[in-house]
């Protein structure tokens, strides 16, 4: 049995690096659109409980559409604290996936691959790196009590180091679908040029986001 934990930062402060391109309501809408995409993907997979850890009622309303278990974080103490709250809610006899809410291109086969990993050896850890192999865009743990996470800068390497210290050989799972997390304008442009259909792209189209308007400002961004 596998649960999924999805921590969502406060919408009032989330995606601050996009503040020059999207106002606060648009950034909030972007967060909800990306969460919609992720939850829609998850419901096509063989998982047990999905735990949303957040502060905002709008996030929980989105989760309710997909039957999530909602945990309200009264005071935000950082992303890893939100992960910890979620992991504590997961029964000890279940494996767990920790997923960020901003990976809208994730497909069911990506989730299934992380789940299957837990049916091979124990203890087992799977780490999905971001496109720069710096951050962690997915973490698969054979037990919710296996270790405390270190999401944030250089978390991909820090999670590998934790595994090494525990004598665990982690499985590195590189998937293009999950590698793209949406934090910067360059990420949005990559999403829009992906050729994929998703709620997040639909949202950007609805608010009239035009990528060509910003291209001269981001020379050098791949």
């Amino acid at each position: 049995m596998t649960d999924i934990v999805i921590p969502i930062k406060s919408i009032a402060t989330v995606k601050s690096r996009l503040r020059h391109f999207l106002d606060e309501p648009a950034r909030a809408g972007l967060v909800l659109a990306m969460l919609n995409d992720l939850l829609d993907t998850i419901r096509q997979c063989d998982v047990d409980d999905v735990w949303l850890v957040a502060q905002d009622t709008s996030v929980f309303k989105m989760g309710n559409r997909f039957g999530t278990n909602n945990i309200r974080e009264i005071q935000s103490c950082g992303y890893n604290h939100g992960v910890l709250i979620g992991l504590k809610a997961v029964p000890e006899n279940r494996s767990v996936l920790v997923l960020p809410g901003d990976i809208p291109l994730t497909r069911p086969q990506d989730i299934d691959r992380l789940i299957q990993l837990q049916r091979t050896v124990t203890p087992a850890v799977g780490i999905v790196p971001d496109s720069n192999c710096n951050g962690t865009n997915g973490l698969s743990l054979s037990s919710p009590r296996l270790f405390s996470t270190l999401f944030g800068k250089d978390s991909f390497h820090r999670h590998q180091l934790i595994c090494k210290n525990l004598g665990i050989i982690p499985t590195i799972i590189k998937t293009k679908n999950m590698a793209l997390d949406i934090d910067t304008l360059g990420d949005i442009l990559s999403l829009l040029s992906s050729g994929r259909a998703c709620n997040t792209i639909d949202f950007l189209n609805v608010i009239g986001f035009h990528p060509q308007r910003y291209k001269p400002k981001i020379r050098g961004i791949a």
Side-chain angles (χ1 to χ4, degrees):
M1 296 186 291
T2 301
D3 284 11
I4 294 180
V5 170
I6 307 173
I8 302 292
K9 295 179 181 178
S10 170
I11 282 183
T13 59
V14 77
K15 302 302 172 190
S16 60
R17 281 184 281 179
L18 293 171
R19 65 185 181 278
H20 299 302
F21 312 103
L22 298 172
D23 59 20
E24 184 175 319
R27 296 198 305 276
L30 177 67
V31 169
L32 294 175
M34 292 191 293
L35 179 60
N36 190 342
D37 280 321
L38 180 60
L39 292 175
D40 189 46
T41 294
I42 289 172
R43 72 175 172 182
Q44 301 173 56
C45 303
D46 183 19
V47 301
D48 292 286
D49 291 319
V50 178
W51 304 85
L52 274 182
V53 183
Q55 293 180 283
D56 298 278
T57 299
S58 58
V59 171
F60 295 137
K61 286 183 178 179
M62 176 64 69
N64 288 341
R65 292 171 51 189
F66 295 89
T68 61
N69 296 306
N70 302 326
I71 304 175
R72 188 177 297 276
E73 190 176 15
I74 303 302
Q75 181 177 0
S76 179
C77 297
Y79 191 81
N80 287 295
H81 182 261
V83 174
L84 178 62
I85 292 174
L87 291 179
K88 285 183 175 179
V90 177
E92 193 167 356
N93 63 341
R94 294 186 184 180
S95 58
V96 60
L97 310 183
V98 181
L99 302 177
D102 60 351
I103 46 175
L105 294 184
T106 301
R107 305 307 302 145
Q109 59 265 29
D110 303 313
I111 304 294
D112 291 338
R113 187 176 176 186
L114 290 168
I115 294 172
Q116 289 299 323
L117 173 65
Q118 303 304 339
R119 297 172 181 172
T120 55
V121 296
T122 301
V125 176
I127 308 174
V128 180
D130 64 12
S131 56
N132 297 316
C133 287
N134 185 335
T136 301
N137 279 6
L139 191 62
S140 178
L141 304 173
S142 56
S143 167
R145 314 293 186 264
L146 197 56
F147 59 73
S148 297
T149 63
L150 291 175
F151 284 93
K153 185 178 179 181
D154 204 33
S155 64
F156 176 53
H157 299 100
R158 290 195 290 171
H159 284 141
Q160 290 180 77
L161 182 58
I162 291 175
C163 291
K164 180 179 179 180
N165 292 336
L166 292 174
I168 299 171
I169 300 176
T171 299
I172 308 304
I173 301 175
K174 293 185 178 182
T175 161
K176 185 177 181 180
N177 295 329
M178 295 181 68
L180 181 62
D181 52 343
I182 309 302
D183 288 313
T184 67
L185 178 59
D187 296 332
I188 290 181
L189 297 183
S190 294
L191 175 67
L192 293 174
S193 63
S194 67
R196 297 276 296 278
C198 63
N199 288 293
T200 305
I201 292 178
D202 290 344
F203 170 78
L204 291 168
N205 289 332
V206 166
I207 66 173
F209 184 89
H210 300 294
Q212 62 271 20
R213 184 183 306 165
Y214 304 107
K215 283 183 178 179
K217 300 180 181 180
I218 58 166
R219 290 174 184 170
I221 296 180

